[in-house]
Amino acid sequence: MTGLVEQIVRLLDVRLLDPLEVLLDGDDAVEAIRDLVRLRARRWADTMEHGDDRTAVLTAARLIATLYPSDRAFDPPPDWWTSPLGQAVALRAGHPWSESVSYAVAGAMLGITRQGVHDLVRRGRLPRHPDGGVPSGAVRDRLRARKNEETP
């Protein structure tokens, strides 16, 4: 399993399946659902990594809405962006619910320090957002360019 698949399975286990197992007193149906989740997690990861942009973003949005339910907009801490799921979301959507991100979040998304982002902005390699921080789409575009350089 890839890191992305493992993270999706682990999160679904902890947030959904473990509580369901407690409520159902260890019913065998939960194990069948775990098997199904492992199969689907591979599909979701493949879609986010290799599918078309629209489908990848919709898949990521469904997972985020399920795994991180809240009445507020999704705003994970900077270190979430360094996780396999965070990296997949950053690459495909940038920050899906925010037009701009702080230098700290941009750094986490790019795998560099906040100072590194500041330097990129100062040198004109990343634009500054008028409301502060940097545009989420610019971070996504930089990640995509990096990935395209790595792909032969």
Side-chain angles (χ1 to χ4, degrees):
M1 274 195 273
T2 67
L4 179 56
V5 174
E6 289 172 359
Q7 184 181 7
I8 292 168
V9 168
R10 188 176 59 254
L11 286 168
L12 286 169
D13 258 349
V14 169
R15 296 179 191 264
L16 299 175
L17 300 177
D18 288 348
L20 187 59
E21 189 170 41
V22 170
L23 288 172
L24 298 178
D25 293 324
D27 193 292
D28 291 340
V30 177
E31 194 55 40
I33 295 171
R34 275 196 168 89
D35 292 340
L36 180 59
V37 162
R38 281 190 279 282
L39 289 171
R40 293 288 174 93
R42 286 184 183 95
R43 270 197 244 160
W44 296 324
D46 185 63
T47 297
M48 286 189 289
E49 291 175 333
H50 307 292
D52 65 86
D53 283 341
R54 183 179 184 284
T55 306
V57 170
L58 288 174
T59 299
R62 284 178 49 218
L63 281 169
I64 289 169
T66 301
L67 293 168
Y68 306 99
S70 177
D71 292 338
R72 290 181 252 144
F74 182 64
D75 190 23
D79 66 332
W80 181 85
W81 293 101
T82 64
S83 73
L85 182 56
Q87 286 292 288
V89 171
L91 180 67
R92 297 315 290 269
H95 190 306
W97 291 276
S98 184
E99 191 175 311
S100 69
V101 294
S102 69
Y103 284 18
V105 169
M109 292 167 86
L110 292 167
I112 60 176
T113 65
R114 181 176 56 191
Q115 181 61 45
V117 173
H118 178 73
D119 291 344
L120 289 172
V121 170
R122 194 170 35 92
R123 293 189 336 241
R125 306 272 184 184
L126 268 178
R128 186 182 321 263
H129 192 276
D131 297 332
V134 296
S136 173
V139 174
R140 179 203 60 224
D141 294 345
R142 188 165 183 84
L143 286 168
R144 287 181 178 186
R146 183 189 307 161
K147 182 174 177 150
N148 288 336
E149 290 171 2
E150 293 171 0
T151 305

